[in-house]
Amino acid sequence: MLKLFRIERGLIRELASDDTPLDQTLPQAHWLDAQEPEDDERDALQQMMRLDLPELEEMEEIEASARYFVDQAGIHVHSLFLTQSEGRHVTSSVACILQPNRLITIRDTELADFRLLRMRARRGQVESHSPAELLITLLEQKVENLADNLEDIHRNLEKTSYLVLEEEGSDLEEAIAQLAKSEDSNGKIRLCLMDTQRAISFLLRHLRDAPELHESCREIMRDIDTLMAHTTFLFDKINFLMDSTQGFINIEQNQIIKIFSIAAVVFLPPTLVASIYGMNFEHMPELQWMLGYPWALGLMVLSGITPYLFFKYKGWL
């Protein structure tokens, strides 16, 4: 799927998709957003731009030299974006190719940042005067979305905190699952922030002819620094809640073991009495007593109650 946008009077406007051939509409676009482009769309892009579009394997490379570089096609920035899949956060790489008169973005999945940017463009809310400014706006939108996700994680941690520390009889295993999910999401958000930080630093070095964008880049960097500190705070909170949850689980397990231990001690004296009178020695005077059987039963009950009362007195029960 290929969506085309044009900068008109400082605003982004989406070009209508009609029956006009691609080779006629592509030169008019200042932003070419390709999501899983089909073969004909990929061929048209490569012929018009005279460049080879990166494959998914190339976009996933982690080396700086493979993610941020400049060649004859333009400035290349392969940036990580956050998305959701099956209820969990995952990262997806987007290849951005910045040329003097256009911006090309290539991705393999739908992303909330792009969807929101398209919606704002339709409403005339995306101000841009150049493809470079549009790329900065896209990264700024990405950071805003990451901030929203961090706020969601913080709200979820507040609920988990109540579940672990205040609610009686709570499902601690469910709390651990929620904490593990929050930790995974927080880690992926931090990874995206670090990637954006590297991308902005790279653009600052290579957009020297656009000083009007430098302040926007520095503002994004300040936001990233703040969000990075917030992710550290969330990591600490997650670790605290995880340790607390494991501590409560250990307390519950110790309580169960304590009950079994006390039960074993309580039943040990009656078992001893029963074992003694279960012997088959010939000379056992109690065997001839008329009240020998009630005596043995009473002795077992008394020997069992005595340890129980002692534990109760000590406060162990």
Side-chain angles (χ1 to χ4, degrees), residues 24-266:
Q24 297 182 19
T25 56
L26 284 178
Q28 304 176 20
H30 294 112
W31 177 24
L32 297 81
D33 180 31
Q35 176 188 339
E36 293 182 316
E38 299 178 357
D39 292 339
D40 58 338
E41 295 174 338
R42 179 178 283 271
D43 293 340
L45 279 174
Q46 293 184 148
Q47 290 177 6
M48 190 192 79
M49 306 300 170
R50 293 189 178 92
L51 57 84
D52 294 329
L53 298 183
E55 300 292 342
L56 178 61
E57 294 77 10
E58 300 173 351
M59 294 163 55
E60 296 293 341
E61 293 288 340
I62 62 174
E63 295 86 357
S65 59
R67 299 185 67 84
Y68 317 103
F69 59 92
V70 178
D71 61 11
Q72 67 276 9
I75 300 175
H76 295 254
V77 174
H78 296 181
S79 186
L80 285 176
F81 282 75
L82 195 70
T83 185
Q84 284 198 351
S85 176
E86 299 179 356
R88 302 187 69 88
H89 284 114
V90 296
T91 58
S92 178
S93 290
V94 177
C96 303
I97 306 173
L98 179 61
Q99 297 178 336
N101 296 320
R102 65 179 59 89
L103 170 66
I104 306 169
T105 54
I106 305 166
R107 50 198 172 92
D108 63 346
T109 185
E110 180 61 89
L111 297 172
D113 301 293
F114 286 79
R115 185 169 58 249
L116 180 58
L117 198 62
R118 290 198 306 267
M119 182 184 68
R120 292 173 56 196
R122 295 189 188 102
R123 297 176 179 176
Q125 298 174 344
V126 181
E127 183 178 356
S128 179
H129 299 85
S130 67
E133 185 177 356
L134 179 58
L135 177 57
I136 300 300
T137 301
L138 179 60
L139 295 176
E140 185 178 13
Q141 174 64 54
K142 170 186 172 182
V143 173
E144 291 177 1
N145 185 40
L146 294 175
D148 292 339
N149 281 278
L150 285 177
E151 292 176 357
D152 292 338
I153 292 177
H154 190 271
R155 282 192 290 267
N156 292 335
L157 284 179
E158 288 181 346
K159 297 177 183 178
T160 306
S161 177
Y162 174 78
L163 181 69
V164 172
L165 302 176
E166 300 184 39
E167 185 176 344
E168 295 183 1
S170 58
D171 188 352
L172 295 180
E173 292 184 0
E174 175 63 23
I176 287 181
Q178 294 178 9
L179 290 172
K181 186 176 180 180
S182 297
E183 193 276 339
D184 180 69
S185 297
N186 194 45
K188 288 184 170 62
I189 291 173
R190 187 179 180 89
L191 180 62
C192 290
L193 288 171
M194 293 172 60
D195 174 83
T196 308
Q197 197 173 43
R198 295 169 65 191
I200 293 295
S201 297
F202 175 80
L203 290 174
L204 279 172
R205 293 195 303 269
H206 292 85
L207 293 179
R208 296 176 181 174
D209 56 343
E212 68 279 2
L213 301 179
H214 288 192
E215 183 56 35
S216 298
C217 291
R218 294 189 183 95
E219 184 67 28
I220 296 175
M221 294 288 277
R222 286 191 288 267
D223 291 340
I224 291 175
D225 290 338
T226 302
L227 294 177
M228 291 283 280
H230 193 53
T231 59
T232 302
F233 162 75
L234 291 180
F235 274 129
D236 292 339
K237 188 175 182 65
I238 290 170
N239 289 332
F240 167 74
L241 291 175
M242 185 69 77
D243 292 341
S244 300
T245 304
Q246 292 176 343
F248 286 131
I249 291 176
N250 290 335
I251 291 173
E252 290 183 356
Q253 292 176 343
N254 292 337
Q255 186 69 23
I256 295 173
I257 294 174
K258 176 183 174 182
I259 293 173
F260 278 109
S261 300
I262 292 176
V265 174
V266 167

